[in-house]
Amino acid sequence: MHTIEIESKNKRIELPSCWDECQPADIFFILENAFKVVDGTMSIALFRIKIFQYFTGLKFGLSYQIRHFLKRNKKVNTVIYQLSQQLCDWIFEAQDDHYNLTFDSTVNYFPILEKAAGPADLLSDLTFGEFQESLNLMNAYFDNYADPLLADECLIDFIAMIYRPLVKGKRVPLTDYTAKEKAFKKIPRWKLRSIMIWFTNCINAIKSEELTINGLDVNFSSIFPQGDQSSNKKRKGLDLGWTGVLIDIAESGVFGPAPKVNETSLYDILFFLMKRQDEYQQQLEASKKK
């Protein structure tokens, strides 16, 4: 946490220095305004000041407005600008001539939308079929990003697919489910785009990070080809070749035919692939010793 101490008022103010130190309400406020920067409707300087005001409770009262009108606030404005730049610069990272949002959480802060439930944190309750369909819709969004109207349709389709009604505490199966896209069209786009970023965060975590699944520490990175993990590639389309994986696993018969594979938990598939990868490496090492 960042700390500001005002000795004259015996006051101590704490500001978060990373996403993990934020409460859900803080994250919502940050993301809503961050997308204004992404869309070019708010400058990065104004954004930082707005976030600084939010966490410090700073208000520009009547006296400030009068001094501002008389152009006597230069010193105060300079201090506010410098503090906001220093303490609120973690939300974006500068790259070339633009800023990249650093939001990297794998926690789903939007579990319910329009009475429909979304995936659990780290996609832990997704089936393999849902995962494949999600990737297809995400890639359609990125492929059509230059066309705002078409991209927006793809975004709605993506959300309508992963957010479905609950029946007995579980989302209704994707099989034979008719998506209700209209239900999500009135939701602010910053929320929907935040969910898509969260989804890509989960995928990147699965591909490259040490995870704790059901109390077990696991790393699936060995089953994914090493690619460019730089931030500027992070949000691009995600073509992982899962159709080939589906066919391969279906042919093995471990989880049954292709339809059954699609109904299998994503993590069961990942554990199977990791086990097979480990067995392959062991055989490879054994052959080298002969």
Side-chain angles (χ1 to χ4, degrees):
M1 299 288 285
H2 292 307
T3 302
I4 298 176
E5 294 189 3
I6 306 175
E7 295 182 1
S8 61
K9 294 186 177 181
N10 193 29
K11 192 173 183 180
R12 191 168 183 265
I13 301 173
E14 291 190 336
L15 294 82
S17 59
C18 63
W19 294 99
D20 290 340
E21 294 174 350
C22 294
Q23 297 299 314
D26 302 334
I27 289 177
F28 301 155
F29 182 83
I30 293 172
L31 289 174
E32 182 176 3
N33 286 281
F35 277 105
K36 295 177 183 177
V37 177
V38 173
D39 293 336
T41 59
M42 182 185 292
S43 70
I44 189 68
L46 180 58
F47 168 78
R48 287 171 176 160
I49 291 173
K50 198 174 184 71
I51 300 304
F52 181 76
Q53 283 184 268
Y54 173 80
F55 283 112
T56 60
L58 175 67
K59 297 184 184 299
F60 297 138
L62 180 60
S63 61
Y64 175 89
Q65 299 296 338
I66 293 173
R67 291 178 63 85
H68 183 72
F69 178 76
L70 297 174
K71 299 182 179 180
R72 295 179 181 177
N73 280 337
K74 184 176 181 181
K75 185 176 180 179
V76 172
N77 290 341
T78 299
V79 172
I80 293 174
Y81 175 82
Q82 290 175 340
L83 284 174
S84 66
Q85 184 178 39
Q86 178 184 353
L87 303 178
C88 303
D89 68 338
W90 54 270
I91 301 169
F92 282 96
E93 59 181 8
Q95 186 172 55
D96 299 328
D97 60 345
H98 64 280
Y99 290 88
N100 290 321
L101 187 61
T102 63
F103 183 62
D104 59 358
S105 178
T106 57
V107 174
N108 185 359
Y109 287 101
F110 304 94
I112 302 293
L113 287 179
E114 296 296 311
K115 299 181 181 180
D121 298 348
L122 260 177
L123 313 181
S124 60
D125 60 353
L126 233 59
T127 65
F128 186 61
E130 290 172 324
F131 183 65
Q132 284 191 103
E133 185 61 24
S134 301
L135 287 180
N136 291 336
L137 293 171
M138 285 178 63
N139 283 328
Y141 170 80
F142 289 116
D143 290 342
N144 294 287
Y145 195 78
D147 185 335
L149 291 178
L150 190 53
D152 189 65
E153 290 181 9
C154 295
L155 177 61
I156 294 293
D157 289 344
F158 168 77
I159 297 297
M161 195 281 293
I162 62 174
Y163 278 80
R164 302 195 297 279
L166 287 172
V167 174
K168 296 182 179 179
K170 294 184 178 181
R171 286 180 303 139
V172 297
L174 184 59
T175 307
D176 298 326
Y177 171 71
T178 302
K180 307 294 191 298
E181 291 89 348
K182 289 184 179 179
F184 303 100
K185 289 188 176 181
K186 293 183 179 180
I187 294 177
R189 291 302 180 264
W190 70 266
K191 286 187 179 183
L192 306 186
R193 292 162 74 184
S194 296
I195 291 168
M196 182 167 283
I197 288 180
W198 161 75
F199 205 95
T200 64
N201 290 342
C202 292
I203 293 173
N204 282 298
I206 290 171
K207 289 173 60 180
S208 60
E209 297 179 13
E210 191 82 22
L211 307 176
T212 300
I213 308 297
N214 297 328
L216 297 175
D217 293 332
V218 62
N219 192 318
F220 295 114
S221 60
S222 63
I223 64 177
F224 295 99
Q226 296 299 314
D228 186 354
Q229 298 293 322
S230 62
S231 59
N232 64 319
K233 297 291 185 182
K234 190 174 181 180
R235 307 292 181 217
K236 302 301 182 183
L238 296 159
D239 183 7
L240 306 182
W242 287 103
T243 300
V245 173
L246 170 66
I247 295 172
D248 189 23
I249 295 178
E251 289 180 346
S252 73
V254 174
F255 297 106
K260 288 295 183 182
V261 178
N262 273 331
E263 295 171 7
T264 303
S265 163
L266 168 64
Y267 278 92
D268 285 345
I269 298 293
L270 293 173
F271 276 116
F272 169 75
L273 293 174
M274 188 173 68
K275 179 176 180 294
R276 191 170 65 176
Q277 179 74 6
D278 289 342
E279 291 174 348
Y280 172 76
Q281 290 296 333
Q282 291 174 8
Q283 293 174 359
L284 192 63
E285 291 175 4
S287 65
K288 289 180 179 179
K289 293 179 181 179
K290 292 182 180 179

